[in-house]
Amino acid sequence: MYFQLNPPSISQIRASFIIDKLANYPQNLSTINIFATGRTHSGKTTLGNRLLGIDYFLSTGRQDCTKEINLIEFPIGLKYFDLPGVCSDDFLENYNRVALNVNQVEDFPFVSEVSLFRYRKEQSPSEQTLTISHYQSLNFQPDLIYYLIAPDKQFARGDRKYLRDLLKCHQNIIYVFNMFVNKQTGMSYFATEANIQDVATQIFKVHRDILGEASQPMIVGVNCLTGEGISELLHQSQQILSGQKGIIFQELINYQQQKTPDEYVSQVKRELVRIYAHAACERATGTNTCDQPLHKICYTLFDFLVSLPIQSEQADNSIAQQVNAIVQQILANPIEQNQSESLEDKMEYVHRAVNYILNESIDSFNELIKTYLSDVQQQGYEFRNQELEEWEKDKESYGEQLESKWNLILSKIEDVNQINNSIESLDGEIENMRRKLNSRIETHQANYVNLLSRRQTLNSRCERWKDRLDRYNANIHRINRSSARLTHEARKSIDQESDYLDREQNSIQSEYSYIGSLVEDWQEEDEHIDEKRTKLNNKINKFNQKIGKRDGLRRSTQELIKERNLFGKNAQDEINFWIEFIKFFNLELEALDETINARIEEMNGHIQEIRNRLTINYFEQFVSPEDAINELQEVVNRCLDELSVFESQIFSFHQELNNCIFRVNINKMVIQVLQKTTEHYFDETDEFEYRGSHYHFFRQHGVTLGLALTTITLMGFEGEYEEFYNGLLRQVEKLGHFPDRPVESKIVRLLELNINSLFDSSFEEVIRQAVL
């Protein structure tokens, strides 16, 4: 669902505090009737909103301040009348006159009844259609009239006629010069010092003509939108209201001005917390477009932030002082009184106005268009081209990095292959060594068995020799003890036995020696076999080490492949995102160009209309030169109105162009969060192919992104964005636990509990500027 912010209403806050303050006054408090009059679009409603927050009442239902009398009624003690504009529509001017009990202009359509719309707190507006007599019986006598004037529009014949009739009925008037100062240029919407002096002079003439030389008009310069000059206006208002009404009016305005800033800051914080929490509970959709939930949230947040009426710090009375200085110059130079306005005066006025439009305004507009539109448009296209160049560089860089990573992978694979070759070679060597060693061991073991058998045979011979020697010795002993004489055969037999025993003993000793040499040979061979076995084991250890190294290289190669595939996926996603937001930016920029160029052509048409009238043929169409001048004067005034509207549009277009450019940066910020909260999955094969993604909730990243966008938009930042973002992220993570599946209401409570940690005093000071 599309998330909507509810911008805090400064009007509602102001009106609520005024209502609260009024509740402390007695119920029988005398009503203060404040009327706002002047041309259409001169700032009547804006002034009422700045002072009393009348939009809070008007928002309860339909209102059209150009077609009826709008009466904003506070519960007790205060009424604000927002009247139809004068000097543009004849019927509505008479409507205005009826509201102020001023005589209608006979040549204008007669007004026999009026529509009175009453606006009250938390009620639908009530409409009354009243006859003039009925309306007059309500006795809405003005205690104070704010006559709103835009000095850049000139003070024409119709304005002077209206003022004459108004002054005949009411003198409690403050002339509010609504200066519409533009903060970016410091210019007062083309109201030059000469414009201000001319309008003020005209007012002085009419004022003194009706009320006499001693009368001086009360003129105050104000920017109704920003509130600059309001303090001087309040001072003058108290002077005119005087007495208790003046004191009460001053107290009401001071009270709301004191209370409104803190309440406004608090409401702004609550709205920001809501959208931060909403962002925390969203997640990526898996598309590459610029219309994902997080994009929409950031666009909504950005629009909310730039819509806050943040003003730069400026002396409150600078505009009032500027206008007052001009008024004092006029007072110092006596004005010649003319009872009637001559044709020459009218022609002089038209001449000045036309010269202003065709020369000063064109030059000024050309400069504004160049500075605030053409240059910014050019910057926009240059910015787009820079982004495209950066995109091409990044794409090339991504390609180079992918190639570098692949080359590293190939290098690792080559290393693995080399180790495999080495392993195969070692395996052959080990097998050959093992085969030879086993054969040698078998021979060695056979020799050992043969040696044991031979020793065993020798031992048996030795035993038999000993037994035979013992028998021989026994026989010799027995013969030596016997006295019998041995026979020749017996002696021969004994000699033969002795010879045998000697020969056998020698043979045994010889065998013993031979076996000893065999043992030595066997032991020497055994040592050689141990040496061969050690060499074999060393080869095997080397083989195993190479196996381990190869397996490690394989694992690292797989990680590199996985890392490269992940990098490639992220790079492709980022490239796709870039393509989409550059396309989005280009379409938005071109659409703005078309709108701007169409509006410039339209304004050229208005100026051409005046040029077309500055011909002899044009004046020949009228019965008298005065009729021609009067008609031209109306055309000039309409053109001045269009110029004023167009200038406002120039700065609106300027803001839109800047916003368009800034949204590119928003998209970059969003892309980073999308990538931080997206987890890609790959299979476990050697190729590690992409198998899908999981999109985590933005959680603390959603809050951090909102906080980063708020800070950048309102206050800016210095340094690297990544460092700035990570600093905010650490700050957000300290707020508490963000669950894997966050619930928006719980995140709101978490942020509200830590709201002072989210927004510091510098943020509050910036927001307070909206209502100071």
Side-chain angles (χ1 to χ4, degrees):
M1 180 183 292
Y2 182 70
F3 185 85
Q4 290 185 332
L5 281 168
N6 301 314
S9 169
I10 300 177
S11 302
Q12 179 176 349
I13 297 171
R14 286 195 176 106
S16 297
F17 282 125
I18 287 178
I19 291 170
D20 291 344
K21 186 67 175 177
L22 284 169
N24 297 324
Y25 292 110
Q27 291 293 318
N28 60 353
L29 181 70
S30 298
T31 300
I32 302 172
N33 293 323
I34 299 175
F35 283 68
T37 189
R39 281 176 171 253
T40 304
H41 302 307
S42 59
K44 300 183 292 296
T45 305
T46 306
L47 178 62
N49 203 37
R50 167 58 64 170
L51 291 175
L52 306 172
I54 64 172
D55 268 358
Y56 171 53
F57 296 87
L58 297 175
S59 64
T60 59
R62 126 179 218 286
Q63 83 277 356
D64 187 346
C65 60
T66 64
K67 294 184 179 179
E68 59 256 343
I69 301 169
N70 287 305
L71 168 57
I72 293 87
E73 292 187 281
F74 286 81
I76 60 169
L78 188 61
K79 290 181 172 65
Y80 188 89
F81 294 79
D82 195 351
L83 306 182
V86 298
C87 301
S88 57
D89 183 285
D90 296 345
F91 178 75
L92 291 181
E93 177 164 330
N94 271 348
Y95 222 94
N96 177 289
R97 287 167 174 264
V98 169
L100 288 164
N101 294 317
V102 176
N103 291 332
Q104 298 188 51
V105 178
E106 294 181 359
D107 295 339
F108 293 173
F110 183 74
V111 174
S112 58
E113 59 183 18
V114 295
S115 293
L116 178 68
F117 273 76
R118 292 176 179 263
Y119 296 87
R120 298 182 178 91
K121 178 186 178 184
E122 297 177 353
Q123 295 182 20
S124 298
S126 62
E127 180 182 8
Q128 291 178 285
T129 302
L130 308 173
T131 63
I132 293 177
S133 59
H134 188 183
Y135 176 79
Q136 290 175 343
S137 69
L138 298 176
N139 197 30
F140 293 135
Q141 292 299 319
D143 293 296
L144 174 61
I145 297 174
Y146 290 131
Y147 192 152
L148 276 293
I149 297 168
D152 60 291
K153 291 187 174 70
Q154 308 287 320
F155 203 70
R157 180 171 57 90
D159 297 283
R160 296 193 291 275
K161 167 67 175 169
Y162 173 76
L163 179 56
R164 287 191 186 93
D165 292 343
L166 180 64
L167 284 172
K168 291 174 183 177
C169 300
H170 307 287
Q171 290 80 50
N172 49 347
I173 302 171
I174 295 179
Y175 301 91
V176 182
F177 280 22
N178 193 7
M179 300 297 288
F180 299 102
V181 172
N182 185 274
K183 289 297 180 181
Q184 295 166 309
T185 64
M187 296 175 58
S188 301
Y189 274 45
F190 301 103
T192 63
E193 183 175 331
N195 296 146
I196 299 171
Q197 187 172 22
D198 183 66
V199 175
T201 300
Q202 298 298 328
I203 291 173
F204 266 88
K205 286 181 179 179
V206 175
H207 215 271
R208 291 182 177 181
D209 183 35
I210 300 300
L211 301 179
E213 289 292 326
S215 176
Q216 293 184 5
M218 192 173 291
I219 301 174
V220 179
V222 172
N223 185 332
C224 295
L225 184 64
T226 66
E228 293 165 68
I230 286 294
S231 60
E232 178 62 21
L233 179 63
L234 292 177
H235 174 71
Q236 299 296 346
S237 299
Q238 185 179 13
Q239 295 272 326
I240 288 182
L241 289 170
S242 70
Q244 185 187 29
K245 289 185 176 182
I247 294 172
I248 291 174
F249 184 74
Q250 185 75 34
E251 287 177 350
L252 290 174
I253 305 303
N254 287 342
Y255 183 76
Q256 69 87 354
Q257 286 183 326
Q258 178 186 1
K259 295 288 187 178
T260 297
D262 289 339
E263 177 61 24
Y264 183 70
V265 169
S266 177
Q267 291 189 20
V268 169
K269 285 182 179 180
R270 288 198 293 271
E271 285 304 299
L272 292 177
V273 161
R274 284 182 58 239
I275 197 168
Y276 294 171
H278 184 70
C281 299
E282 290 290 344
R283 53 183 170 181
T285 62
T287 65
N288 298 318
T289 60
C290 295
D291 60 353
Q292 294 191 51
L294 191 59
H295 289 88
K296 294 179 179 179
I297 289 170
C298 287
Y299 296 157
T300 299
L301 174 59
F302 178 68
D303 290 341
F304 171 79
L305 294 171
V306 297
S307 71
L308 297 177
I310 308 300
Q311 308 296 331
S312 61
E313 297 182 15
Q314 183 169 330
D316 182 60
N317 285 324
S318 59
I319 292 177
Q321 291 169 359
Q322 176 190 5
V323 173
N324 186 59
I326 296 172
V327 170
Q328 294 302 317
Q329 291 177 9
I330 297 172
L331 286 173
N333 298 289
I335 302 172
E336 294 183 5
Q337 295 294 311
N338 292 320
Q339 295 300 318
S340 62
E341 186 177 38
S342 67
L343 179 60
E344 288 76 12
D345 292 334
K346 294 179 181 180
M347 291 181 66
E348 175 63 23
Y349 165 76
V350 171
H351 174 74
R352 291 198 311 271
V354 169
N355 182 66
Y356 165 74
I357 292 172
L358 299 183
N359 294 294
E360 294 179 37
S361 69
I362 290 178
D363 293 341
S364 181
F365 268 107
N366 286 337
E367 181 62 27
L368 283 176
I369 290 171
K370 179 183 183 303
T371 303
Y372 291 96
L373 297 184
S374 301
D375 288 353
V376 179
Q377 285 172 306
Q378 182 63 30
Q379 290 171 14
Y381 284 111
E382 289 176 357
F383 180 69
R384 178 199 62 186
N385 294 336
Q386 289 173 2
E387 289 296 321
L388 287 172
E389 289 177 5
E390 184 178 344
W391 173 70
E392 290 290 347
K393 290 179 181 178
D394 285 347
K395 187 169 69 168
E396 183 178 351
S397 174
Y398 292 151
E400 291 174 352
Q401 291 182 66
L402 284 171
E403 184 177 0
S404 174
K405 290 177 182 295
W406 182 243
N407 289 335
L408 181 58
I409 290 169
L410 292 178
S411 174
K412 293 287 186 181
I413 292 174
E414 181 62 26
D415 290 343
V416 169
N417 291 335
Q418 289 179 0
I419 292 177
N420 273 333
N421 293 334
S422 177
I423 288 172
E424 290 177 2
S425 176
L426 276 174
D427 188 49
E429 291 178 18
I430 289 171
E431 185 60 30
N432 186 45
M433 289 177 67
R434 183 181 284 118
R435 186 173 60 252
K436 290 180 179 181
L437 180 62
N438 288 338
S439 176
R440 198 166 178 177
I441 289 173
E442 288 177 2
T443 301
H444 185 56
Q445 289 176 342
N447 290 336
Y448 179 73
V449 171
N450 182 54
L451 185 64
L452 288 177
S453 176
R454 194 158 185 166
R455 177 171 284 180
Q456 186 176 8
T457 301
L458 179 61
N459 289 337
S460 296
R461 284 178 64 189
C462 187
E463 289 296 325
R464 288 194 300 273
W465 179 80
K466 287 180 179 180
D467 287 342
R468 198 163 178 172
L469 178 63
D470 289 340
R471 288 195 300 273
Y472 171 80
N473 290 330
N475 288 329
I476 294 299
H477 181 68
R478 188 172 56 255
I479 290 172
N480 291 332
R481 284 191 303 171
S482 173
S483 60
R485 186 179 178 181
L486 292 176
T487 65
H488 174 75
E489 287 79 8
R491 181 170 297 280
K492 183 179 179 179
S493 175
I494 288 173
D495 291 338
Q496 288 177 345
E497 183 68 14
S498 176
D499 292 338
Y500 169 79
L501 288 173
D502 290 337
R503 288 195 305 273
E504 183 67 10
Q505 182 180 19
N506 292 332
S507 177
I508 288 172
Q509 289 176 347
S510 177
E511 182 68 12
Y512 266 117
S513 297
Y514 179 69
I515 289 174
S517 66
L518 289 178
V519 169
E520 289 178 358
D521 292 341
W522 186 89
Q523 288 176 340
E524 184 178 350
E525 178 66 9
D526 194 59
E527 290 176 358
H528 289 160
I529 287 173
D530 285 342
E531 290 176 0
K532 291 293 184 181
R533 186 180 286 113
T534 299
K535 288 181 179 180
L536 177 61
N537 289 335
N538 290 339
K539 284 281 186 181
I540 292 172
N541 288 337
K542 187 176 181 181
F543 177 84
N544 290 334
Q545 288 174 0
K546 285 189 177 289
I547 290 288
K549 185 177 181 181
R550 181 199 62 187
D551 292 344
L553 275 174
R554 280 179 175 174
R555 287 192 297 272
S556 65
T557 302
Q558 289 174 335
E559 287 299 318
L560 286 173
I561 293 172
K562 187 174 183 179
E563 179 187 330
R564 180 182 182 273
N565 290 350
L566 178 60
F567 177 84
K569 174 60 178 170
N570 287 333
Q572 188 59 53
D573 286 349
E574 187 167 339
I575 288 171
N576 292 337
F577 276 126
W578 272 57
I579 292 172
E580 286 299 320
F581 80 66
I582 288 295
K583 186 189 303 180
F584 178 79
F585 171 63
N586 198 52
L587 290 174
E588 191 175 18
L589 194 60
E590 289 178 351
L592 261 176
D593 282 354
E594 291 180 8
T595 303
I596 290 169
N597 293 333
R599 184 62 175 128
I600 290 173
E601 285 299 316
E602 185 180 350
M603 287 308 304
N604 287 334
H606 287 298
I607 293 173
Q608 187 60 43
E609 183 182 6
I610 292 178
R611 284 198 176 101
N612 293 339
R613 281 168 166 75
L614 299 180
T615 63
I616 296 175
N617 294 336
Y618 169 75
F619 287 92
E620 291 176 350
Q621 300 173 18
F622 295 89
V623 176
S624 67
E626 185 170 4
D627 291 339
I629 291 297
N630 290 338
E631 199 269 351
L632 181 57
Q633 189 175 30
E634 293 302 322
V635 173
V636 166
N637 286 337
R638 284 198 302 271
C639 186
L640 288 170
D641 288 341
E642 284 293 330
L643 287 173
S644 178
V645 172
F646 180 50
E647 188 195 24
S648 177
Q649 289 176 328
I650 286 175
F651 296 115
S652 296
F653 288 144
H654 174 77
Q655 187 62 50
E656 287 182 48
L657 285 168
N658 284 327
N659 292 351
C660 178
I661 294 172
F662 190 78
R663 273 191 284 272
V664 173
N665 295 319
I666 291 177
N667 287 328
K668 289 183 178 180
M669 295 162 65
V670 169
I671 288 173
Q672 290 188 11
V673 172
L674 293 177
Q675 289 184 325
K676 289 176 187 294
T677 55
T678 298
E679 185 177 1
H680 298 304
Y681 293 105
F682 300 86
D683 61 28
E684 294 303 320
T685 65
D686 289 341
E687 299 299 325
F688 283 99
E689 293 182 355
Y690 171 70
R691 293 303 181 194
S693 301
H694 177 71
Y695 305 103
H696 298 281
F697 289 95
F698 298 129
R699 301 164 63 234
Q700 60 266 42
H701 284 288
V703 177
T704 303
L705 179 60
L707 197 58
L709 182 55
T710 301
T711 304
I712 292 171
T713 305
L714 297 181
M715 295 171 284
F717 81 101
E718 296 180 356
E720 294 294 328
Y721 174 74
E722 190 67 23
E723 182 180 348
F724 165 72
Y725 180 89
N726 289 334
L728 292 178
L729 179 61
R730 289 190 293 271
Q731 177 183 337
V732 170
E733 287 174 338
K734 292 178 182 178
L735 301 180
H737 176 62
F738 288 82
D740 291 337
R741 299 186 65 83
V743 177
E744 191 165 327
S745 59
K746 293 183 179 180
I747 300 299
V748 168
R749 285 198 293 273
L750 173 64
L751 298 182
E752 286 179 341
L753 288 173
N754 297 276
I755 200 163
N756 292 330
S757 298
L758 280 176
F759 307 106
D760 57 18
S761 58
S762 61
F763 168 85
E764 294 184 359
E765 286 303 313
V766 170
I767 300 301
R768 285 173 63 87
Q769 290 300 318
V771 288
L772 290 177

